[in-house]
Amino acid sequence: MEFSNEYKLLQEIYQGAKMGTESIQLLLPKVDNARFRSDLQTQNRQYQTTASNAEQQMKALGQCPREPSSKERVMLWMAKASSAAMSAMKLMADPSASKIAEMMIQGSNMGILSLTKVLNSFGSPEANPAQSQQDNQQAPPAQNQAIDLARTTIQAEEDNINRLKIYLQ
């Protein structure tokens, strides 16, 4: 993987984790269910750790993470999740654990899609770095720490989705 691709991948991981943290911070005050609050706080810590790991790897490359501007954040959210705006409006009418879990699952799915697209842009389908070792024993080993962090992040998002499903009604 060349340097610019590695930085691009780490930047995608970093921005996704930061957006996840920001989303949880906005939603936590609306959560009354103690178990659900605890699950979201665990997910928030995971996002913070992921962002920190991506930042450390970027610094090892001699780069710093680029924070998206407010305008870029709005455009990113609109581009990746026009349905998120509708969900936010629905949340105002229904701030239940089920609705919040649904929004978080949608966000995790968007993160998986976005990160998988970046990973898949780096190579041939036969050597697909997005494929985790759990998906296929023939998957290639991680080429570097950035790919390994991306795979770990995708797996963590899948785990988050599974954990949040119990709150759907």
Side-chain angles (χ1 to χ4, degrees):
M1 175 182 291
E2 61 188 58
F3 171 75
S4 63
N5 285 343
E6 188 172 358
Y7 177 76
K8 180 180 177 184
L9 178 59
L10 290 168
Q11 186 64 32
E12 185 71 25
I13 295 166
Y14 179 82
Q15 286 185 345
K18 292 299 255 184
M19 287 177 60
T21 297
E22 290 172 10
S23 297
I24 290 173
Q25 292 301 321
L26 291 172
L27 294 172
L28 272 175
K30 297 173 178 27
V31 176
D32 295 329
N33 180 311
R35 181 175 174 199
F36 186 39
R37 174 179 285 278
S38 177
D39 283 343
L40 289 178
Q41 289 170 333
T42 298
Q43 190 170 344
N44 191 44
R45 284 189 297 276
Q46 171 201 31
Y47 285 139
Q48 290 169 341
T49 300
T50 299
S52 177
N53 289 343
E55 182 176 9
Q56 289 172 5
Q57 288 187 34
M58 282 188 262
K59 286 181 179 178
L61 296 172
Q63 299 290 317
C64 291
R66 188 180 67 77
E67 298 289 339
S69 68
S70 296
K71 181 181 176 182
E72 286 175 319
R73 278 193 181 118
V74 169
M75 290 173 54
L76 188 60
W77 272 102
M78 288 173 62
K80 289 186 176 180
S82 60
S83 66
M86 291 175 58
S87 294
M89 291 189 335
K90 290 178 185 176
L91 182 61
M92 285 187 245
D94 178 12
S96 67
S98 179
K99 182 54 68 180
I100 294 171
E102 180 181 333
M103 291 176 64
M104 291 302 300
I105 289 169
Q106 288 172 352
S108 290
N109 276 325
M110 287 187 299
I112 290 169
L113 290 171
S114 176
L115 194 49
T116 301
K117 285 179 183 180
V118 173
L119 276 170
N120 287 346
S121 70
F122 296 145
S124 66
E126 301 82 40
N128 182 349
Q131 187 174 15
S132 73
Q133 294 291 39
Q134 291 178 341
D135 291 339
N136 182 350
Q137 293 303 320
Q138 303 296 353
Q143 296 172 1
N144 62 32
Q145 290 181 332
I147 290 175
D148 190 41
L149 181 58
R151 287 179 176 169
T152 300
T153 301
I154 289 170
Q155 184 60 53
E157 290 289 23
E158 290 170 349
D159 293 344
N160 290 334
I161 290 167
N162 287 329
R163 187 173 39 259
L164 292 171
K165 286 178 181 178
I166 66 167
Y167 300 103
L168 297 175
Q169 295 180 5

